[in-house]
Structures are given as C-alpha cells and as structure tokens.
Amino acid sequence: YKHMANLILWNCLNLGHYPIRAAGPHQLAGWLISQGYTVKVIDFCHLLSTKELEEITSKHIDSSTIAVGVSSTFWDVVHGLELPKEKQFAEPQWVQDGRQRVQSKFPNLKWLLGGANSTSSNLKYNWTIMHGHAEDQLLKFMDEHTSISLQRRIFDIKNLGACFKDDLGIQSSEVLPIELSRGCQFTCKFCRYPLLGKKKNTYLRDFSLTEHELIENYQRYGTTRYFFLDDTVNESDEKIVAMADMAQRLPFKLEWIGYNRLDLIGSKPHTI
C-alpha cells in the first residue's frame, strides 16, 4: 500500500517473540492527520531487515516528506553489550542501520526522536528531540517546516479520536493499545509520574469517543481485545460504572488488561 507522507514514524515494542503495536506513534499520527498532515506509521520495525525497512520507508517519501520520527520507548536498550564501550550506542542496531540506509538515499530528511530513551547520553546520531507527550511539540515542528501559520488548538486527551488506519494490516487476533486518560488523581509518594494529583475526572477521554473507536475497530479489523493504557483503570466508581455500561453496549465481548490498584479492588469489592 503506497501513499506519500509528510511524516513517517518508525514504531516498535520489543518483547521478544510477541509483536505488539505501541500506541504512541499511532496517536501522534491520528492527531497530525486531524490537523491536515499525512502520516505513515511503520510497525514492528525491529523485526524487519534493514533492506525491508528502507524499502517500506522509501515508498512513502517524496518532495512533501519532512521527517522520519523514531519511537525510543520500547526499543531494545541492552543490545551490543559485547561491543567495546566506545561502540555501544543507545540506538539499537536496526535504528542505526535503517537510518544510515534511508539517510544516504534521502539526505534532506529531518530525523526526530521521542520516547523514554530520547534523552540518553550515548546517542550515535544527532536528533531533533521531542520531549514528553509530543502532540503539541510535533505539530509545532511540522507547522514550522511547512510554513503553516494556523492558530492551533492544544491537544486534549478528552477529545482523542480513533488513530488506527486501514493500511496497517491489523489482524483480528491482535491486542490493540488504547489510551483512556492521561494523568492520575492520586499522589503516591513512590511515584515520579509528572501528571499526578489531577482533579477527579478532568483528564479522562470522552467515553463516547472510546466506545465509537472500539466499535469501529471491531467492524474494520475484528478487534475484541485491548490494553487499556491508563495509569489506574479502576481509580473511581464512576469510571468503572461508565466502562461497564459501555462494555454492555458493545456488539462483542470486550476483553482487556490494564493497571489496576489492588487496594481499591479490596476496599470496593462491588467494583470487581
């Protein structure tokens, strides 16, 4: 499937033999597409040969392509330990080899790096770094490099739309990630997450949008299983009731996993 893209995103979640699509690049793509850009996400990049990665990437590059972005959160960071220390880099070998091949063919492309490992001190290449949650920063970058001067609205998780597209080859057996909120109402002392102490229910995605995406994914791909990317799925009775009501309305049996607080399950057994 071939279409040219303003931005190409390399995605990976390296858990050995269990290939999973990380959500971040897809959400960034969905956000930028809603703002008028064309974006192509290439999944499972760490499982592709350098030749395959270069060929797939090249299919989506033309004069309108601005950059290739790489998600670092789930790339393998323990590779190459058998190498001399001066040759160990944060970028895994597939990133190094893939970038070298694509960059030699398209030397004018910008290269962006986001995710948890983007601040590493031993990066081999120079990158434009996208810090933290990148929706607004990445949109600003794209606007600056296309001379677009529109008044943009700030990204708000409450209005998050569907992000998975038809050109991804999604199989019905896959477990897809989906973000239900961004933040946490709790302030646990052991936690260093930056979005703590949020006012209750102010950082939740609109459940009607979540329900619409679940139904759309079921109709398009046959998806019934999800990772709920929430800091605490079972944080409040109201949220659990809304999720349970939504699950009852769906035209399929919803299966999901997510982060839940065991103490809340114990103190509120009616929520089970």
Side-chain angles (χ1 to χ4, degrees):
Y1 184 82
K2 180 175 181 178
H3 69 78
M4 301 309 169
N6 303 132
L7 175 67
I8 297 165
L9 296 175
W10 288 356
N11 193 18
C12 76
L13 202 169
N14 192 1
L15 292 179
H17 298 294
Y18 188 32
I20 301 171
R21 301 173 196 265
H26 290 284
Q27 290 195 179
L28 289 172
W31 168 242
L32 290 176
I33 289 169
S34 74
Q35 302 301 306
Y37 288 104
T38 53
V39 185
K40 173 62 182 175
V41 179
I42 302 174
D43 287 308
F44 315 124
C45 289
H46 63 294
L47 299 177
L48 301 174
S49 69
T50 302
K51 184 175 185 290
E52 289 171 332
L53 181 56
E54 183 267 319
E55 287 179 349
I56 295 171
T57 303
S58 297
K59 287 180 180 179
H60 303 282
I61 296 175
D62 67 1
S63 60
S64 69
T65 307
I66 297 167
V68 175
V70 183
S71 174
S72 73
T73 298
F74 299 109
W75 70 20
D76 48 328
V77 295
V78 295
H79 69 287
L81 295 184
E82 72 284 354
L83 297 173
K85 193 168 184 179
E86 65 274 10
K87 292 188 177 181
Q88 293 178 20
F89 297 104
E91 299 100 326
Q93 199 62 48
W94 69 264
V95 175
Q96 296 180 43
D97 296 342
R99 173 165 172 174
Q100 183 179 12
R101 286 279 288 267
V102 174
Q103 191 169 275
S104 65
K105 193 173 180 180
F106 303 98
N108 294 325
L109 286 178
K110 310 293 183 185
W111 288 85
L112 315 179
L113 185 65
N117 296 299
S118 60
T119 57
S120 175
S121 60
N122 63 325
L123 292 167
K124 178 177 181 178
Y125 289 99
N126 291 321
W127 302 86
T128 297
I129 304 297
M130 299 285 132
H131 296 285
H133 299 295
E135 283 88 357
D136 295 321
Q137 189 180 3
L138 185 54
L139 179 57
K140 182 174 183 288
F141 172 89
M142 296 297 290
D143 284 348
E144 289 174 348
H145 287 81
T146 52
S147 301
I148 291 177
S149 57
L150 296 176
Q151 187 68 36
R152 299 291 196 180
R153 71 181 190 273
I154 300 298
F155 175 81
D156 189 339
I157 189 67
K158 294 194 291 291
N159 304 317
L160 176 66
C163 62
F164 291 104
K165 305 305 176 187
D166 282 335
D167 63 343
L168 298 170
I170 293 174
Q171 305 298 301
S172 60
S173 57
E174 288 189 53
V175 181
L176 292 183
I178 187 170
E179 192 172 17
L180 299 181
S181 69
R182 188 172 293 181
C184 184
Q185 68 189 42
F186 303 112
T187 54
C188 302
K189 294 186 184 303
F190 61 80
C191 185
R192 294 182 295 170
Y193 183 58
L195 302 179
L196 297 178
K198 289 272 193 174
K199 189 175 179 181
K200 192 175 181 179
N201 297 330
T202 61
Y203 52 92
L204 304 181
R205 184 186 184 191
D206 187 321
F207 270 100
S208 66
L209 296 175
T210 301
E211 184 173 347
H212 180 269
E213 180 171 10
L214 295 180
I215 293 173
E216 188 175 84
N217 289 346
Y218 176 69
Q219 293 172 339
R220 294 162 77 183
Y221 322 121
T223 304
T224 62
R225 307 163 74 199
Y226 287 90
F227 294 108
F228 283 161
L229 303 180
D230 240 23
D231 299 288
T232 314
V233 176
N234 67 331
E235 60 191 297
S236 70
D237 284 15
E238 298 93 330
K239 184 178 175 186
I240 293 173
V241 168
M243 290 175 61
D245 289 345
M246 176 185 69
Q248 294 301 313
R249 292 190 297 269
L250 294 174
F252 59 90
K253 181 183 177 182
L254 175 66
E255 297 180 83
W256 61 274
I257 61 173
Y259 297 111
N260 295 273
R261 279 184 57 156
L262 189 59
D263 61 331
L264 294 180
I265 294 174
S267 63
K268 300 180 178 182
H270 63 280
T271 64
I272 294 175

